[in-house]
Amino acid sequence: MIEAFVSFAPGWARDHAAPLAVAIPMLCSTLGVFLPNGRLAWFLSILATGASLLMALVLMGLVQNEGIVSYAMGGWEPPAGIEFRIDALNAMIILLVTAIAFLAAVFSWPTVNAEIREEKQNLFYSAYLVCVTGLVGVSSTGDAFNLFVFLEISSIATYVLVALGARRDRRALPAAFNYLVMGTLGATFYVIGVGFLFAATGTLNMNDFSQMIPQLTDSRTVQAGFAFIIVGLGLKAAMWPLHQWLPGAYNYAPSFVTTFLAATATKVALYALIRYLFTVFKPDFSFELASFGLIFMPLAAAAMLVCSFQAVFQSDVRRTLAYSSVAQVGYMLLGVSLATAAGLTAGLFHLVNHALMKGGLFMAVAGVVLTYQGTRVYDFAGLGRSAPWTMTAFAICALSLIGVPLTAGFQSKIALLAAVFANGWWWAAALIVFSSVLAVLYMGRILEAVFFQAPANPRKQRKEAPLLLLIPLWILALANIWIGIDPAPVFDLADDASAAVFTTGGAR
Amino acid sequence: MLEIIAARGNYWIIIALMMTGLYITFEANNLIKRLVGLSVFQTSVFLFYITLSKVAGGTAPILMGGDIKKKAKHAGEEAGAAAGGQGEAAGAGTGLENVYSNPLPHVLILTAIVVGVSTLAVGLALVVRIREAYGTIESDEVRAIDIDVALAEEMDAPAREGAQ
């Protein structure tokens, strides 16, 4: 299907797909500032993210046909110039980010209209497009410093977007401030790490790094750079215990922002982490292997346990989902920390699935916020009867999060279990199962309120979320079922991605 | 021993600034002070990069003297050569008459400064909004207000539920 799509694409799109996927939202974001009202800005953001999605599809096709796509920015050849380098791994992430960005843009209007002041709506969409620019940029670039710039572009836009939740709840402001401080610390740590690598190698191109670093593994400079980069990106990816910014930011941000962030922002940072762990540094370095066993694996296990427990005791649905997000990042990191191709595949597969299910869950919550104004568990009581369509989709995504058979979450947990058993980590398998039981507890508590409790709130005579919101929600919910029944297409993407990193990693 | 320490004076300053900045960021209660700490921390990283770019005996990376004509021929190779010569005498490998410092980190830090300034601007704007919403910019007071409000809501909620 994607091959056919590429053959239809015009020549300019094929030649410039990589920069266009970033440039279109970037240019449209400045346009949005001049638009007279929010509705036009909404159309613009749909067009921009849609165009970006098309470019991502073209890129995906090109990568599948030709292998690596390398684009020299402004005609300056790498390694001196900035390079956009797309292989199977980024192509998948870019496709995921742009697809979620497009769906989120379509669904955004009712909730943005309700939650953001009218004269700020066009600026809100501009900030959103800047955020998309940054995220797609991080996933496309092959230049270490350029990655930092894109990371900060998306982060600064995110701080603004989170703070806009202040109209509904002023606690969004301290949450955004904390996120700003932590996020900036993380990004600065990353820059320090890049500085060390630059001092050791004299280049900033990731491809150059990967060729020079194997000769320098004993250099203390490289090892310090590795440590700084891992901490910095770990902070952005909400790796336990560096996740403190996440629950507050997800909880108080406008519901549309939460939906988008939960499905993309930490995923992109995690991609950058994977890029460094497997392409720039190779897993066979002794100090990196030690970090897998002594840092990532225990942290992943701790995230799965501690944050699942914390999720059980939250009274707010959004906060429950936020803690569950940190726990799910733990699953992905567990897959990564196996340092095997199967483990990385499982981690990436879960990354995609988690974006789909969390995106769906937060969309449903956004619908509830829109019609009932409440996000506490008892606000959800009895909604199964008054809003069956919204809540059925919510339930599907929730079951997928738990990992019930015939859903996407089941498939990725099976893949993860298989990878874990192949390594002989039976205790990790036990942890996965136990953490899933905790997921049954925290999601079950909400589902019980939704379907089996009488409505406790008189305002709940209101109806469904608007159709505009239901369509993207159901697309995500059905995607969860579709992957659950036929995991092959997405699983193959994840498999290609990890194969690209593992087999061609040396010669890249 | 003393020479080793003295020869790396720049790095000691960078480490001192970095730790000072980090400490202020974690420890200060005043939100503005936290931003100040963050800025100090970032600035130490800028200094780190600038220190990396210094080549012993090198001058500012602007071509001068006989180098101008030579460079006009193969301008494109400049950046790569300069980056490759980092840490050694840059003039050696590039066929230039003069020794120049590495220009690349300067360019990077110019970008990083812009990023830092925009982060600071957003941070200060947030502080203004926090002042408007809470009437204070001390983070412990903000937290105390939040906890009080949340507790009051918790007390309220069962009563409301019971009433319905």
Side-chain angles (χ1 to χ4, degrees):
Chain A
M1 186 194 98
I2 288 174
E3 281 82 3
F5 191 82
V6 172
S7 56
F8 276 120
W12 55 265
R14 256 177 294 177
D15 291 345
H16 302 287
L20 279 178
V22 180
I24 294 171
M26 184 171 77
L27 296 175
C28 289
S29 71
T30 49
L31 260 183
V33 176
F34 300 106
L35 289 179
N37 63 43
R39 193 176 285 269
L40 278 177
W42 172 53
F43 282 126
L44 183 72
S45 74
I46 292 180
L47 284 180
T49 50
S52 196
L53 173 61
L54 290 181
M55 290 303 143
L57 282 170
V58 172
L59 265 180
M60 187 51 146
L62 285 176
V63 168
Q64 283 183 347
N65 290 345
E66 300 163 20
I68 294 165
V69 176
S70 168
Y71 186 91
M73 269 295 158
W76 292 85
E77 289 302 320
I82 289 172
E83 179 192 19
F84 271 22
R85 194 180 184 88
I86 322 286
D87 61 10
L89 174 59
N90 328 14
M92 183 183 89
I93 301 289
I94 296 172
L95 191 59
L96 176 76
V97 170
T98 51
I100 297 280
F102 176 67
L103 281 180
V106 170
F107 122 105
S108 65
W109 178 248
T111 83
V112 169
N113 199 20
E115 292 180 30
I116 309 293
R117 270 188 304 170
E118 213 174 319
E119 69 271 20
K120 301 278 186 224
Q121 284 168 357
N122 60 332
L123 296 175
F124 178 87
Y125 279 110
S126 287
Y128 168 61
L129 287 177
V130 173
C131 188
V132 175
T133 306
L135 292 176
V136 180
V138 170
S139 343
S140 338
T141 186
D143 184 280
F145 198 83
N146 197 227
L147 193 147
F148 159 72
V149 175
F150 276 124
L151 203 59
E152 281 308 82
I153 287 177
S154 76
S155 296
I156 291 175
T158 311
Y159 309 145
V160 174
L161 291 174
V162 169
L164 282 170
R167 194 183 173 208
R168 207 165 53 86
D169 189 334
R170 64 179 175 179
R171 280 173 290 184
L173 295 169
F177 188 85
N178 278 337
Y179 186 12
L180 180 135
V181 170
M182 300 249 208
T184 310
L185 283 181
T188 312
F189 266 71
Y190 172 77
V191 179
I192 299 173
V194 171
F196 277 118
L197 293 190
F198 176 71
T201 61
T203 178
L204 286 169
N205 187 292
M206 291 188 194
N207 193 25
D208 269 16
F209 276 158
S210 70
Q211 277 155 20
M212 289 187 194
I213 285 175
Q215 291 105 49
L216 296 165
T217 43
D218 292 332
S219 147
R220 199 46 72 77
T221 316
V222 169
Q223 294 177 2
F226 175 77
F228 273 110
I229 288 176
I230 296 310
V231 172
L233 291 177
L235 224 161
K236 292 274 184 190
M239 180 168 82
W240 194 88
L242 304 172
H243 68 279
Q244 305 297 342
W245 55 267
L246 187 142
Y250 281 14
N251 198 6
Y252 302 121
S255 28
F256 158 66
V257 176
T258 310
T259 309
F260 179 66
L261 288 185
T264 54
T266 54
K267 311 287 178 290
V268 167
L270 201 67
Y271 149 75
L273 196 61
I274 292 172
R275 175 61 84 204
Y276 270 93
L277 287 176
F278 290 96
T279 311
V280 175
F281 300 91
K282 300 288 183 301
D284 36 344
F285 295 165
S286 53
F287 67 92
E288 190 175 332
L289 266 185
S291 78
F292 277 120
L294 295 176
I295 298 174
F296 288 114
M297 190 255 290
L299 289 188
M304 283 158 54
L305 280 185
V306 176
C307 287
S308 297
F309 264 117
Q310 277 173 306
V312 173
F313 296 109
Q314 301 302 321
S315 61
D316 189 290
V317 174
R318 296 219 286 185
R319 204 168 258 273
T320 307
L321 294 178
Y323 276 110
S324 132
S325 273
V326 183
Q328 303 290 320
V329 170
Y331 285 104
M332 298 164 213
L333 274 178
L334 184 69
V336 169
S337 73
L338 288 166
T340 60
L344 184 59
T345 306
L348 289 170
F349 187 37
H350 194 61
L351 189 151
V352 176
N353 289 346
H354 181 249
L356 297 178
M357 52 181 119
K358 262 303 148 48
L361 284 170
F362 275 115
M363 273 187 193
V365 173
V368 176
V369 171
L370 189 66
T371 45
Y372 304 113
Q373 315 293 333
T375 57
R376 270 169 296 190
V377 174
Y378 75 74
D379 288 322
F380 273 58
L383 281 188
R385 243 161 285 164
S386 54
W389 284 98
T390 320
M391 282 302 128
T392 309
F394 181 85
I396 292 171
C397 296
L399 292 178
S400 181
L401 186 67
I402 294 169
V404 173
L406 293 183
T407 60
F410 178 72
Q411 297 291 356
S412 50
K413 274 183 188 167
I414 288 291
L416 193 58
L417 280 174
V420 163
F421 271 120
N423 249 31
W425 292 4
W426 54 268
W427 54 268
L431 266 184
I432 294 172
V433 173
F434 183 65
S435 163
S436 301
V437 172
L438 290 175
V440 173
L441 280 181
Y442 62 73
M443 290 318 294
R445 207 165 46 105
I446 299 170
L447 289 180
E448 195 259 346
V450 167
F451 289 104
F452 300 114
Q453 281 180 16
N457 194 327
R459 281 179 303 182
K460 289 196 166 53
Q461 300 316 314
R462 291 274 301 279
K463 57 283 135 178
E464 289 285 349
L467 194 64
L468 205 54
L469 218 146
L470 280 179
I471 293 171
L473 172 60
W474 271 93
I475 290 177
L476 287 180
L478 291 177
N480 269 306
I481 295 183
W482 174 59
I483 296 174
I485 294 170
D486 178 20
V490 180
F491 187 81
D492 287 349
L493 283 185
D495 210 32
D496 284 352
S498 89
V501 170
F502 264 94
T503 56
T504 61
R508 217 174 75 96
Chain B
M1 186 65 197
L2 201 66
E3 284 148 31
I4 296 178
I5 294 174
R8 290 163 178 73
N10 281 14
Y11 292 101
W12 290 110
I13 293 171
I14 292 164
I15 292 171
L17 274 179
M18 196 178 277
M19 292 304 122
T20 315
L22 261 183
Y23 181 75
I24 299 172
T25 314
F26 289 142
E27 195 52 34
N29 250 327
N30 187 306
L31 297 182
I32 303 260
K33 286 182 186 164
R34 292 182 77 181
L35 285 179
V36 171
L38 204 60
S39 290
V40 171
F41 177 60
Q42 285 182 313
T43 309
S44 74
V45 180
F46 302 161
L47 273 179
F48 172 58
Y49 269 74
I50 299 300
T51 304
L52 286 183
S53 75
K54 178 65 182 167
V55 176
T59 177
I62 302 166
L63 292 177
M64 54 185 213
D67 291 340
I68 298 176
K69 279 178 194 159
K70 277 186 196 166
K71 264 293 140 177
K73 289 177 196 161
H74 40 261
E77 298 156 26
E78 178 191 10
Q86 201 274 321
E88 44 190 88
T94 53
L96 295 175
E97 288 173 5
N98 302 298
V99 178
Y100 300 102
S101 285
N102 187 345
L104 185 59
H106 294 96
V107 183
L108 298 180
I109 287 318
L110 210 55
T111 319
I113 288 173
V114 174
V115 171
V117 167
S118 13
T119 314
L120 188 63
V122 174
L124 288 174
L126 280 175
V127 174
V128 171
R129 294 279 280 118
I130 290 175
R131 171 85 167 71
E132 283 170 7
Y134 287 87
T136 174
I137 54 167
E138 301 289 324
S139 61
D140 53 346
E141 290 175 20
V142 169
R143 203 174 306 128
I145 294 173
D146 274 347
I147 290 174
D148 286 348
V149 173
L151 277 180
E153 271 180 13
E154 282 301 305
M155 304 300 248
D156 225 21
R160 259 191 292 150
E161 263 182 305
Q164 282 152 16

